[in-house]
Amino acid sequence: MVKMTGGKAILESLKRHGVKVIFGLPGGAILPLYDDIYKDKDIRHILVRHEQVAAHASDGFARASGKPGICMATSGPGATNLTTGIANAYMDSSPVIAFTGQVARPLIGNDAFQETDACGITLPITKHNFKIMKTKEIPQIIKMAFKIATTGRPGPVHIDLPRDVQSEETDFDFEAEPEMPGYKPTIEGHPLQIKRAAEIISEAERPIVLAGGGVIHSNASPELSVFAEMLGSPVTTTFMGKSSFPENHPLALGTIGMHGKKAANKAVTESDVLIAIGCRFSDRSTGNVQYFAQNAKIIHIDIDPAEIGKNIKIFVPIVGDAKRVLKSLIERLKEIYKKGKTTAWVEKINQFKKEFQPKMDYDEIPIKPQRVMKELNSIIDSNTIITTEVGQNQMWAGHFLEVHHPRQFISSGGLGTMGFGFPAAIGAKVARPEATVIDVAGDGSFLMVEQDLATCVLEKIPVIVLILDNRRLGMVSQWQELFYGGRLSATLLGESPDFVKLTEAYGAKAEYVTRPNEIRPALERAIKSNEPYVLDVIVDPKEHVLPMVPPGGRLDQMIG
Amino acid sequence: MEREHVLVALVENKPGVMQRISGMFAKRGFNIETITVGPTESQELSRMTLVVKGDERVLEQVQKQLNKLVEVIKVSDVDPNESVIRELCLIKVHTPDQHARAQVVQYAHIFRAHVVDVSPESLMIELTGDSDKINAFIELMRGFGIKELARTGTTAMQRGAKIIEPKK
Ligand SMILES: Cc1ncc(C[n+]2csc(CCOP(=O)(O)OP(=O)(O)O)c2C)c(N)n1
């Protein structure tokens, strides 16, 4: 058997899982592993300027590619800086594998320099975590980590690596299969439940499909299209499900929820059968649950049994992988489904869609954000990936942008993490270098992570950051204007910094955009440049994201 | 309807499992009345008994969330009517005089409890039974003055041929 250091065993195990890129930043407790990274010729390590960026970038990498993303940090502050990114991946079920250095085994528990109980900290924000105490167990633990992160409901796994484990010599045995007697995700839906669901669906006159992020994770978009077309059923998505169904499809309604489409929210409310696939009925999606799809029998397909019945009463639960279950449902329905039942319903839906056309063609200066979305829509193609920050920028993007291909829209849904979009764009661009990657940003969010422009410049990662620059923590100020008497407590950001000068200081390109007709040419220049590029689009700070379901309100009673 | 449920979980015998479970309960806002853990006939497995208060929906979520933990192998909802449910309690009672002492010994006898330690001022009683029995005994002892009380929490096993074992 080959002898090697723990550090090398880690890299070797990662490579055997197809890993080519690691995002990270070193420190004392992970020095031995970084020495092995230095010697390794096959793995690209991307040095970030803050560990949070490493975690989000690996998350963006995972979401853009469907493969697990890897990030790394030292013990103590390195580990705690990673945690926002890990929590973010956890809330959105993203397969991230995070490594942290730890003080050497004999020092654990002594409050040694830069010691934190990293596993204790990540326990509630990971699908699972490991502290490797026996060097020879490295390959098996990494195998388990990949299996856990990528199968069933995906999610982040954290591995804590004591310093002396990284440097210790060990026999490298990759063959032995680890045992996980308690880990057996259910993949196939139960045939009886599928039969029941098919019967209910075939009776439906006003069906609606609600597709969540799970459809994207399970690569079930082709099946979703077949299913929806077969039924003649309109499709709406949750925010996380955006891009799982082509938004230019005649049956597409766009997103539901607090800042979703009016037509989608109305359609859900009026449906008689709701087929929810790979979603978790978050409060941002459902509004007041008492009134959510109150006329509908709800069929819930999800790979995580704990999601079924957690927030909403379910008529037919189906535990299983979205793709497999959809396939079985399609097979079943082929025999019993009679077309034509939904014609009147689809007509009504089209009526809703016409009635609630959002306005985007504003010519005002300062620029209205809706206009920016219109211009973005004109350049988005199958090779574009949009990431977003958090706040108004995110909700405008979610509401107005039209995306047609899975993994094209990447955003922090569950945790709502400002400073996610830019690092996620970096990760997405690394995963798919041929794609045009645009972060739709707010000025507040971008300032949380802008230091990694340096990473983009030095590592040649040409992402575009389009800042909707309103000099505010816009979404919070919107709530203050709507619900707190307009008292703008701590939400005005003022005139610092100058984003163009800031970007230029990093050696990246930037321009101001102040007029609506400049947006598209500026975007085209940015795309063409093939360099990291910041577009500082000065937008109307008074603009609200509307329509919206007020907190605790009903989906079918949107304001604005 | 809200009531107490007794759950038995077979878990991998690894460090940190207890922390994962109690962490999950804290995070989800579930109430654990008692939790006990100990080895089983297999070295790889530990067995936990959890007493949880809540309605059917809470119980279902507790079971599902437990099952989601990678190191939890099996979770069973044990029907108290078809199971032996036991707890051990040690109780040190204030018995300054002959009279009190005699009475406590008599009560202990009725409850099939044992006197396991004697000192001039107190008696230590060991009692096993279900929670109701133990609660009743504790109530009786309050009149004398309880100096110290220790309860193990509930453990349970189904009667008859039924066995809780890892899924095959
Ligand atoms: C890390 C973090 N801190 C605070 C918040 C609360 N929050 C939500 S939206 C928002 C404002 C975001 O401002 P900006 O990035 O400028 O975007 P805008 O809403 O103006 O488009 C804040 C502070 C958050 N979501 N994340």
Side-chain angles (χ1 to χ4, degrees), chain A residues 52 84 389-396 415-419 440-448 467-478 490-491 493 539 545:
Chain A
Q52 181 182 348
T84 300
E389 298 298 342
V390 164
Q392 292 180 311
N393 58 84
Q394 177 185 35
M395 292 303 131
W396 278 314
L415 199 64
T417 314
M418 292 170 70
V440 175
D443 42 341
S445 298
F446 182 57
L447 281 174
M448 292 197 176
I467 305 174
L468 297 173
D469 185 352
N470 56 9
R471 298 287 152 176
R472 284 177 177 214
L473 300 169
M475 184 55 96
V476 183
S477 74
Q478 171 169 342
T491 44
L493 292 173
V539 296
V545 187

Side-chain angles (χ1 to χ4, degrees), chain A residues 424-460:
Chain A
I426 294 176
K429 184 72 186 173
V430 169
R432 293 193 32 207
E434 80 296 345
T436 299
V437 183
I438 305 173
D439 171 33
V440 175
D443 42 341
S445 298
F446 182 57
L447 281 174
M448 292 197 176
V449 284
E450 48 81 8
Q451 75 284 338
D452 273 78
L453 279 170
T455 307
C456 290
V457 169
L458 296 171
E459 292 277 344
K460 300 204 179 358

